Amino acid sequence: MTDLLFPKASRRGWLKQSAAFSLTAAGALRAWAQPQTTLVLGDQAGGLRALFEASKALEDAPFAYRWANFQGAAPLFEAQRSAAVDTAVAGDLPVLAAAVGRTPLKIVATRVGKADALGIVVQPDSPLKKVADLRGKTVIVSSARGSISQYQLYGALEEAGVRRDEVTVKFVLPTDAAAAFASKQIDAWAVFDPYYTIALQQGGRILRDGRGINTALGFITASEPTLADSAKRAAIVQFLERLARAGEWALANPEAYAQAYSQLTRLPIESARIITARASVTGRPVSEADIAALQSVADRSTRDGILPVRVDVRAITDAQVWTRPA
């Protein structure tokens, strides 16, 4: 396996080196005598690749592929917008934000995780004890406008009766924010795994997590030009079938998955166990309930000014790409 996220170094060292996240190629699993369709699979913080490498679900895949890794959804969708990746994986709101940004995408699969995989974290000795204490404070949100962390923060503020204009919100990519948080330059940080778990492992304290606010749904998107190519569309179906297989393996083998994730990312096994236990591993076709849940996020985000315009979720979904027997 190849190190993707946290090298063999001090905790401060990974913060610096992980800022180098960029397009990386893993290559196909084997060489073929005849030219094959190649997919560029977009990933965030090595999470999807770790799942596939641990489960070996892409072995002998009938297509060639390479991985493109990013530290957050914003740069990943920028790559999809520019046709640098064929697929992307992200949470609910980032997909909507990408659609608003005219990324030519379609939602082709749903992933289900846990809403406590993100939250607002503060310094261990912080005087901030509850969300209401954020009045007059600055909160750093990762990674950009339209992130699941922004949605979680706004939901927590509303729950606590705090107006959004009573809090200063700044957007910082997670590796930069992680370094600032570790050096105590940030008082409150709204962020997602794996950065969230690492901050907590370093002594951070949870002010409010995403339970009761976020849907915990993630999605796989494919670019429209990719889906218009019949060979690539067929490869996407194979990829999604193997995603479902990988998820089933991870649920049946949680310790093996955590160990493989730890080895690939160089995270401590204790952190890896937490992250993989609440990660979005299962993959399934998009359902009507998924569309309705995402539409609710879209409508609320428009109401709250997170999104400038309303997104019609059905219009950016192609539930016919991948179907499975009920």
Side-chain angles (χ1 to χ4, degrees), residues 5-321:
L5 188 55
F6 302 98
K8 289 181 177 177
S10 65
R11 287 176 173 175
R12 190 175 297 264
W14 75 256
L15 294 169
K16 294 178 180 177
Q17 292 194 29
S18 59
F21 278 151
S22 62
L23 210 63
T24 58
L29 284 175
R30 61 181 177 127
W32 297 80
Q34 299 297 324
Q36 282 186 291
T37 296
T38 298
L39 295 179
V40 182
L41 306 174
D43 196 9
Q44 290 192 52
L48 194 60
R49 180 178 171 184
L51 174 63
F52 274 109
E53 291 204 5
S55 64
K56 297 180 172 54
L58 279 177
E59 285 191 352
D60 299 320
F63 57 89
Y65 67 91
R66 61 181 183 269
W67 290 103
N69 189 50
F70 301 84
Q71 60 173 302
L76 170 54
F77 280 118
E78 181 58 37
Q80 192 166 51
R81 185 178 302 114
S82 62
V85 300
D86 293 300
T87 67
V89 55
D92 46 21
L93 185 53
V95 172
L96 299 171
V100 170
R102 299 186 182 279
T103 302
L105 59 79
K106 293 292 185 183
I107 298 169
V108 294
T110 300
R111 304 183 77 208
V112 183
K114 295 183 179 179
D116 60 349
L118 77 163
I120 305 165
V121 60
V122 298
Q123 299 292 342
D125 56 352
S126 173
L128 304 173
K129 303 300 182 184
K130 56 186 183 299
V131 174
D133 294 336
L134 292 174
R135 282 191 180 91
K137 305 297 182 181
T138 296
V139 180
I140 300 300
V141 171
S142 290
S143 58
R145 293 182 185 276
S147 75
I148 54 176
S149 296
Q150 184 183 14
Y151 187 83
Q152 191 265 343
L153 171 62
Y154 282 17
L157 293 176
E158 182 176 4
E159 178 184 74
V162 179
R163 299 194 317 272
R164 292 192 301 281
D165 61 5
E166 294 181 291
V167 175
T168 299
V169 177
K170 295 183 178 180
F171 299 90
V172 180
L173 287 172
T175 50
D176 294 333
F181 188 83
S183 60
K184 299 188 181 300
Q185 298 177 51
I186 291 176
D187 293 322
W189 181 24
V191 68
F192 47 85
D193 268 342
Y195 312 97
Y196 177 58
T197 291
I198 292 299
L200 297 176
Q201 293 284 309
Q202 293 178 337
R205 175 165 50 82
I206 299 171
L207 199 64
R208 175 70 164 89
D209 66 25
R211 288 177 290 187
I213 298 174
N214 291 68
T215 65
L217 294 179
F219 299 93
I220 300 290
T221 68
S223 70
E224 291 180 339
T226 294
L227 293 175
D229 181 316
S230 59
K232 284 196 169 187
R233 187 182 180 99
I236 291 289
V237 174
Q238 284 293 319
F239 166 67
L240 296 176
E241 284 289 344
R242 289 160 188 270
L243 173 65
R245 191 185 309 168
E248 291 165 358
W249 177 89
L251 292 177
N253 301 275
E255 180 60 21
Y257 177 34
Q259 292 285 347
Y261 184 89
S262 175
Q263 182 180 354
L264 180 67
T265 62
R266 293 299 178 187
L267 278 171
I269 185 59
E270 295 81 8
S271 300
R273 288 189 180 111
I274 295 170
I275 293 166
T276 55
R278 59 193 183 195
S280 299
V281 294
T282 56
R284 56 178 169 79
V286 184
S287 69
E288 285 297 315
D290 298 334
I291 293 173
L294 187 55
Q295 190 64 63
S296 177
V297 172
D299 293 344
R300 180 167 181 166
S301 298
T302 305
R303 182 204 70 181
D304 291 346
I306 299 174
L307 298 176
V309 295
R310 181 180 184 273
V311 176
D312 181 351
V313 173
R314 195 173 298 280
I316 62 168
T317 302
D318 190 339
Q320 300 307 308
V321 172

